[in-house]
């Protein structure tokens, strides 16, 4: 069966061919990524997420590793400064750094194309995230959110 990102690209292609999706050629600057906190990602508790963002399969951003031990917040806000100019095919991977080793696990992956984004926010639910869509550790109501603008200036 297809991954959610593969289905998304089929939808993009069909929408662009039919005219249902209008091309966006404006620059998009990524300011924030909000990801769910998953307190029990590792057996016995523990969640140390970090993000990698690729543009046309080239790594363009790596976040720090976040320590969310004891966090009561339902979401982690990863702020990207300066804002990241994105254009074209984008791949976002969220990893968890394991507690007892230097290994990492993929929490979720997702791909999207900037030409289909209209507006300042983009949300993906569990069913739209490669890997997480079938992972019971990932809550059914959890979302990943991206906050964009048309310029590099900090958003208020």
């Amino acid at each position: 069966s297809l991954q959610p990102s593969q289905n998304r690209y089929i939808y993009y292609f069909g929408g662009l061919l039919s005219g249902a999706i209008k091309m966006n050629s404006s620059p998009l600057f990524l300011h924030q990524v909000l990801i769910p906190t998953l307190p029990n990602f590792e057996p016995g508790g523990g969640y140390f997420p970090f993000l990698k963002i690729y543009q046309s399969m080239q790594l363009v951003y790596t976040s720090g590793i976040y320590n969310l031990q004891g966090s009561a917040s339902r979401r982690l806000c990863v702020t990207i400064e300066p804002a990241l100019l994105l254009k074209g095919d984008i791949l976002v991977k969220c990893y968890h750094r394991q507690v007892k080793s230097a290994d990492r696990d993929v929490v979720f992956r997702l791909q999207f194309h900037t030409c289909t984004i209209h507006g300042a926010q983009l949300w993906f639910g569990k069913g739209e995230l490669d890997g997480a869509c079938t992972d019971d550790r990932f809550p059914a109501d959890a979302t990943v959110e991206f906050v964009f603008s048309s310029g590099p200036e900090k958003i208020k």
Side-chain angles (χ1 to χ4, degrees):
S1 73
L2 297 176
Q3 289 287 328
S5 288
Q6 292 170 313
N7 284 323
R8 186 174 308 112
Y9 272 72
I10 292 169
Y11 170 77
Y12 289 165
F13 192 66
L16 290 167
L17 285 175
S18 70
I21 296 177
K22 301 291 181 230
M23 294 278 285
N24 175 19
S25 58
S26 302
L28 273 179
F29 288 86
L30 179 62
H31 292 269
Q32 295 175 329
V33 181
L34 290 90
I35 63 172
T37 56
L38 307 173
N40 297 314
F41 193 80
E42 199 162 286
Y47 182 48
F48 300 91
F50 64 98
L51 293 178
K52 288 185 177 277
I53 300 175
Y54 300 81
Q55 178 172 269
S56 301
M57 303 313 284
Q58 298 293 313
L59 182 65
V60 293
Y61 176 80
T62 303
S63 76
I65 298 172
Y66 292 85
N67 180 352
L68 299 178
Q69 294 289 100
S71 172
S73 174
R74 288 187 42 90
R75 299 204 301 177
L76 166 68
C77 180
V78 177
T79 300
I80 300 170
E81 290 181 346
L84 186 61
L85 175 61
L86 294 178
K87 190 166 183 69
D89 283 306
I90 307 302
L91 169 64
V92 179
K93 287 187 175 183
C94 178
Y95 294 98
H96 157 72
R97 189 190 55 75
Q98 294 178 4
V99 175
K100 294 184 170 61
S101 71
D103 291 341
R104 64 187 184 189
D105 297 315
V106 175
V107 179
F108 66 82
R109 293 178 313 279
L110 71 94
Q111 285 183 264
F112 60 88
H113 197 287
T114 59
C115 81
T116 63
I117 299 173
H118 300 275
Q121 291 173 297
L122 189 59
W123 288 271
F124 295 94
K126 176 178 178 168
E128 299 173 291
L129 302 171
D130 304 345
C133 62
T134 57
D135 190 336
D136 291 337
R137 297 172 295 185
F138 208 91
D141 63 346
T143 61
V144 175
E145 180 181 347
F146 295 85
V147 179
F148 298 99
S149 75
S150 58
E153 302 77 23
K154 278 189 185 180
I155 51 177
K156 310 259 182 287

